[in-house]
Amino acid sequence: MAFDFKKEFKEFYMPAGKPQIVDVPKINYIAVQGKGNPNIPGGEYQQAISILYAVAYTLKMSYKTDYKIQGFFEYVVPPLESFWWQDGIEGVDYGNKESFNWISVIRLPDFVTQKDFNWAVETASKKKKTDCSKAGFLTVEEGLCVQIMHTGPFDDEPGTVALMDIFLEEQGYINNINKERLHHEIYLSDTRKINPEKWKTVIRHPIKKKD
């Protein structure tokens, strides 16, 4: 059976509907960075997602090609994720989506090296007839974070984030969102097929002990 990151690392992908503190290790990603409203049809964000999946599935199916990745095992492509920030704004202003900066990512298995990644970008560009050169190999070590499972539309996230902030206050922590440590979302639902009230999104914020 193919390795499924969501099932093997439930503490990072399947949190409860109440806040919890986790220590997130170093993880490698396929990453595409951009700016602007993610909801624009055919916009920069949608294009980034296409690039991510093109590279992700090229790596996943590499065992059927002449290119062999050392240590490869069959796996399920992990869910789409994104890191978000807005210049000059603390937290997230959901009413000003045009000002979003984002890094959209898909997790890579640890056996994928920079060399393997470069091969996948080149191969995906040729096979999909899409320029995948915007994709980068990104390593992030988030460290100590608070996370929660948000159920519902993205615009309803402020209420869930408020629950996280109350929890942090009770536990003696504060948010530590800055230019290096970002608001993080993991998307577990296919928004094209599921009613928005049932969308499931992991929301994760970096934290630190209160002084």
Side-chain angles (χ1 to χ4, degrees):
M1 184 174 292
F3 185 92
D4 189 334
F5 288 89
K6 297 193 301 300
K7 294 179 180 178
E8 299 296 330
F9 299 105
K10 289 182 179 180
E11 67 269 34
F12 301 129
Y13 292 99
M14 301 300 292
K18 58 183 180 180
Q20 65 183 64
I21 293 173
V22 291
D23 192 358
V24 186
K26 183 186 298 182
I27 296 173
N28 296 328
Y29 298 97
I30 312 164
V32 178
Q33 183 170 337
K35 184 179 177 67
N37 189 335
N39 298 325
I40 296 175
E44 188 175 358
Y45 185 78
Q46 302 298 326
Q47 294 174 31
I49 292 174
S50 296
I51 292 170
L52 290 174
Y53 278 109
V55 176
Y57 276 95
T58 298
L59 286 164
K60 171 184 168 62
M61 303 306 295
S62 63
Y63 71 99
K64 293 189 174 183
T65 73
D66 292 335
Y67 187 88
K68 303 303 178 184
I69 297 177
Q70 186 174 357
F72 180 92
F73 53 78
E74 291 191 53
Y75 62 97
V76 177
V77 170
L80 176 70
E81 312 181 33
S82 288
F83 296 92
W84 300 89
W85 74 99
Q86 292 161 300
D87 297 327
I89 297 175
E90 185 174 340
V92 180
D93 178 3
Y94 291 87
N96 186 15
K97 294 183 175 63
E98 299 298 333
S99 68
F100 274 136
N101 299 283
W102 42 263
I103 305 173
S104 287
V105 301
I106 292 177
R107 182 175 183 162
L108 288 168
D110 289 343
F111 58 70
V112 175
T113 66
Q114 181 72 60
K115 177 185 175 183
D116 302 325
F117 179 84
N118 294 342
W119 168 84
V121 169
E122 181 179 351
T123 301
S125 296
K126 292 177 180 176
K127 187 174 181 180
K128 303 293 184 180
K129 295 181 171 59
T130 300
D131 182 8
C132 295
S133 62
K134 288 185 177 180
F137 187 101
L138 177 68
T139 301
V140 179
E141 186 170 1
E142 290 184 271
L144 202 62
C145 294
V146 61
Q147 66 180 20
I148 192 172
M149 182 71 79
H150 169 75
T151 301
F154 301 131
D155 286 345
D156 289 351
E157 287 184 11
T160 302
V161 170
L163 295 176
M164 297 165 69
D165 292 341
I166 293 171
F167 172 79
L168 290 181
E169 178 69 25
E170 294 172 345
Q171 300 297 317
Y173 291 88
I174 59 173
N175 276 299
N176 190 31
I177 296 176
N178 53 49
K179 292 182 179 179
E180 286 75 39
R181 306 185 74 201
L182 303 170
H183 173 94
H184 184 182
E185 299 180 358
I186 304 174
Y187 310 108
L188 302 178
S189 302
D190 187 338
T191 58
R192 300 167 299 176
K193 301 177 180 179
I194 298 176
N195 188 294
E197 281 66 38
K198 296 183 179 180
W199 291 352
K200 291 191 177 297
T201 306
V202 179
I203 302 176
R204 184 182 295 160
H205 283 174
I207 62 173
K208 64 179 181 179
K209 271 288 189 180
K210 187 184 299 183
D211 294 334

